Amino acid sequence: QKKTGGGGGGAGGGGGGEAHARRKKALVNKIKRILRLCLQQLNHNVFTTALHKMKDMNPMPSLFMWTLITTLGVHHNLTATFGVRIMTDLIQARIWAADADIWRGFRILMLKQRPQSFAVLLAELPIEQLKKLLFEHRDQFFEPLKNYAEANRRMIRKPVLETLG
């Protein structure tokens, strides 16, 4: 919740905001522990169905990317099919225009799911977004993407090859 004014609720020194942030972080950590337990116990179909529904929510739930990354980490066999499909859907939904934490999570997902994610990035991500990604995270993305593009040159769009030099 965001404070909108100066009225009521607290001692006025700013300490209430810190306490709220600590409570929120503790709650998020509890939710993450519960989700990890569920991921280990439940069939992966439960999570793929839930993740498909969450990806279409507006706004996207704040733990969506964490849940997606964790699900793909626990159920490695989902990366080639479900993971690639959902990454493509997120790019088509202009994930970079979403909340900054969601976009940060997407970049983490791309790194954790390579090389499958590289095919999606190079085929689907608009050139301007690819350039921005390479500019902001050159050390993480440039060489691996360039190597992938060179190895798969026949399947890579010409503007992407030009961008990667």
Side-chain angles (χ1 to χ4, degrees), residues 105-141:
F106 184 79
R107 293 188 314 259
I108 293 168
L109 175 68
M110 293 291 104
L111 289 169
K112 288 183 176 273
Q113 298 301 314
R114 59 184 164 190
Q116 293 90 343
S117 64
F118 288 172
V120 175
L121 275 176
L122 297 178
E124 301 290 336
L125 196 65
I127 294 301
E128 287 307 311
Q129 288 312 124
L130 179 62
K131 287 178 181 177
K132 187 174 181 181
L133 180 76
L134 292 173
F135 178 76
E136 293 174 356
H137 304 283
R138 185 173 183 83
D139 57 328
Q140 295 172 311
F141 284 101

Side-chain angles (χ1 to χ4, degrees), residues 24 32 60-69 87 90 94-113 121 125 129 132-133 136-137 140-141:
K24 183 177 179 181
K32 286 180 177 181
M60 198 174 286
S62 59
L63 287 177
F64 170 75
M65 290 307 300
W66 182 90
T67 306
L68 176 59
I69 291 166
M87 286 182 248
L90 291 170
R94 301 175 44 86
I95 188 75
W96 57 89
D99 178 89
D101 288 334
I102 299 288
W103 177 233
R104 185 175 18 263
F106 184 79
R107 293 188 314 259
I108 293 168
L109 175 68
M110 293 291 104
L111 289 169
K112 288 183 176 273
Q113 298 301 314
L121 275 176
L125 196 65
Q129 288 312 124
K132 187 174 181 181
L133 180 76
E136 293 174 356
H137 304 283
Q140 295 172 311
F141 284 101

Side-chain angles (χ1 to χ4, degrees), residues 53-77:
K53 289 180 181 178
M54 284 190 280
K55 113 181 134 49
D56 295 329
M57 291 179 167
N58 190 7
M60 198 174 286
S62 59
L63 287 177
F64 170 75
M65 290 307 300
W66 182 90
T67 306
L68 176 59
I69 291 166
T70 305
T71 299
L72 294 175
V74 171
H75 300 287
H76 302 287
N77 58 323

